């Protein structure tokens, strides 16, 4: 039995009168890749944001690596440090080189020295196929390359969990494949990943489990060959008929 990395029990999130998450239960074990699919507005981003406490849940429990994030006494910064997050927007520092984008948090947050931070940075740039771009400025890179830099920057922090929120949605179609390729390699290397995506082919091939969300609940979940290829629920079938 492998170790539980994420444990979510009865998660609720409301924004004022808007009840966005209505009781989510989710367990992700070490090395597992879980893809979250569902229509726009169903609460997918909010779910991810509750996993690293960018949003404060209004009910239920979230634990990562055995640390209860919803415990009022928890050291949020320490807990967040173990979680990498990649968004649709890459959020690189535009005035810093690629290498400096990868070293700054290592130095400030993990207190690594310059040589070590640069060594880790270069190793992770190589992992995403961008070793030769260390001295480039973000604006000199394509969107796909910038997103791979953002992934490398997260990896440089040695996360035990990676969250991806539609990482390819802002990219030109011809750049999507390289980013998905990096994510696939990461999955094959055993990274624990929670991925919100509309890329059904990726979910089908890479996910250990697919979660279909609608209206703030998990409508169904299971291996991709069931949820994507043979969905049990009408709502899942309706969604898939629109995106496939
Ligand atoms: P998804 O990622 O599945 O498209 P979201 O989690 O982004 O859905 O949003 C779910 C619902 O919550 C939407 O109706 C959205 O407008 C609302 N919402 C998200 N964030 C906030 C916020 N900070 N304040 C108010 N409403 C929000
Ligand atoms: Mg979203």
């Amino acid at each position: 039995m492998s170790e539980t990395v994420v444990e979510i029990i009865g998660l609720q999130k409301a924004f004022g009168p808007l009840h966005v998450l209505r009781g989510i239960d989710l367990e992700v074990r070490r090395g597992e890749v879980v893809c979250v699919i569902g229509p726009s507005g169903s609460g997918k981003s909010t779910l991810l944001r509750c996993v690293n406490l960018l949003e404060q849940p209004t009910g239920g429990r979230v634990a990562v690596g055995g640390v209860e994030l919803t415990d009022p006494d928890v050291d949020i910064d320490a807990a967040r440090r173990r979680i990498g997050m990649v968004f649709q927007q890459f959020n690189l520092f535009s005035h810093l080189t690629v290498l400096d984008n990868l070293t700054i948090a290592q130095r400030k947050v993990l207190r690594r020295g310059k040589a070590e931070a640069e060594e880790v940075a270069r190793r992770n740039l190589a992992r995403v196929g961008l070793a030769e771009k260390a001295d480039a400025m973000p604006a000199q890179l394509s969107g796909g390359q910038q997103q791979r830099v953002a992934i490398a920057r997260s990896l440089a922090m040695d996360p035990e969990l990676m969250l991806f929120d539609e990482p390819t949605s802002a990219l030109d179609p011809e750049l999507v494949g390289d980013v998905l390729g990096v994510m696939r390699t990461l999955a094959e290397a055993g990274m624990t990943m929670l991925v919100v995506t509309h890329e059904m082919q990726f979910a089908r091939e890479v996910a250990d489990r697919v979660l279909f969300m609608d209206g703030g609940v998990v409508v169904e979940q299971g291996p991709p060959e069931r949820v994507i290829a043979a969905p049990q629920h009408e709502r899942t079938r309706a969604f898939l008929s629109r995106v496939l």
Side-chain angles (χ1 to χ4, degrees), residues 41 44-46 88 165-166 196:
K44 305 179 302 294
S45 294
T46 304
Q88 192 172 321
D165 193 356
E166 299 192 29
V196 174

Side-chain angles (χ1 to χ4, degrees), residues 7-242:
E7 187 170 32
I8 298 174
I9 300 171
L11 174 62
Q12 309 257 350
K13 176 65 185 178
F15 296 103
L18 184 65
H19 203 168
V20 173
L21 300 180
R22 300 168 171 263
I24 304 276
D25 298 309
L26 171 63
E27 191 182 333
V28 184
R29 287 182 301 280
R30 187 164 305 288
E32 225 183 350
V33 178
V34 176
C35 284
V36 180
I37 63 172
S40 177
S42 57
K44 305 179 302 294
S45 294
T46 304
L47 170 63
L48 243 58
R49 293 168 63 83
C50 284
V51 175
N52 66 355
L53 290 198
L54 289 174
E55 298 289 356
Q56 186 68 45
T58 41
R61 289 175 41 202
V62 177
V64 175
V67 177
E68 193 87 33
L69 298 184
T70 33
D71 177 343
D73 296 327
V74 77
D75 179 348
I76 291 295
D77 292 330
R80 252 198 214 127
R81 224 167 275 163
R82 310 157 73 183
I83 305 171
M85 180 134 181
V86 175
F87 303 87
Q88 192 172 321
Q89 254 57 44
F90 335 121
N91 303 317
L92 299 177
F93 294 114
S94 57
H95 62 292
L96 296 179
T97 64
V98 164
L99 189 72
D100 289 345
N101 264 280
L102 266 74
T103 56
I104 186 166
Q106 292 188 65
R107 301 204 58 190
K108 291 197 168 168
V109 178
L110 300 182
R111 304 260 161 230
R112 285 180 182 153
K114 188 170 190 297
E116 185 191 2
E118 290 191 0
E119 197 271 311
V120 172
R122 289 184 193 282
R123 178 159 23 95
N124 283 293
L125 281 176
R127 249 176 123 175
V128 302
L130 292 174
E132 78 288 6
K133 297 293 186 189
D135 299 320
M137 300 303 284
Q140 297 172 303
L141 306 180
S142 72
Q145 289 172 330
Q146 290 187 49
Q147 189 60 298
R148 283 147 65 196
V149 170
I151 294 171
R153 178 178 59 177
S154 281
L155 294 175
M157 302 296 282
D158 297 332
E160 65 174 317
L161 168 69
M162 285 287 289
L163 306 175
F164 292 88
D165 193 356
E166 299 192 29
T168 60
S169 293
L171 300 177
D172 292 334
E174 74 272 21
L175 303 176
V176 166
D178 286 344
V179 172
L180 293 179
V182 164
M183 292 169 64
R184 182 188 296 258
T185 306
L186 204 54
E188 284 163 0
M191 178 61 75
T192 310
M193 296 166 50
L194 186 54
V195 183
V196 174
T197 187
H198 292 296
E199 297 289 340
M200 292 303 141
Q201 190 65 24
F202 175 84
R204 199 183 265 229
E205 291 173 11
V206 181
D208 296 300
R209 188 145 44 95
V210 174
L211 232 72
F212 172 68
M213 273 180 77
D214 195 9
V217 298
V218 176
V219 174
E220 66 181 293
Q221 63 170 302
E225 58 273 20
R226 209 184 70 223
V227 176
I228 297 178
Q232 304 296 302
H233 289 257
E234 181 48 40
R235 279 197 281 176
T236 318
R237 282 197 284 268
F239 171 75
L240 288 169
S241 72
R242 290 197 302 274

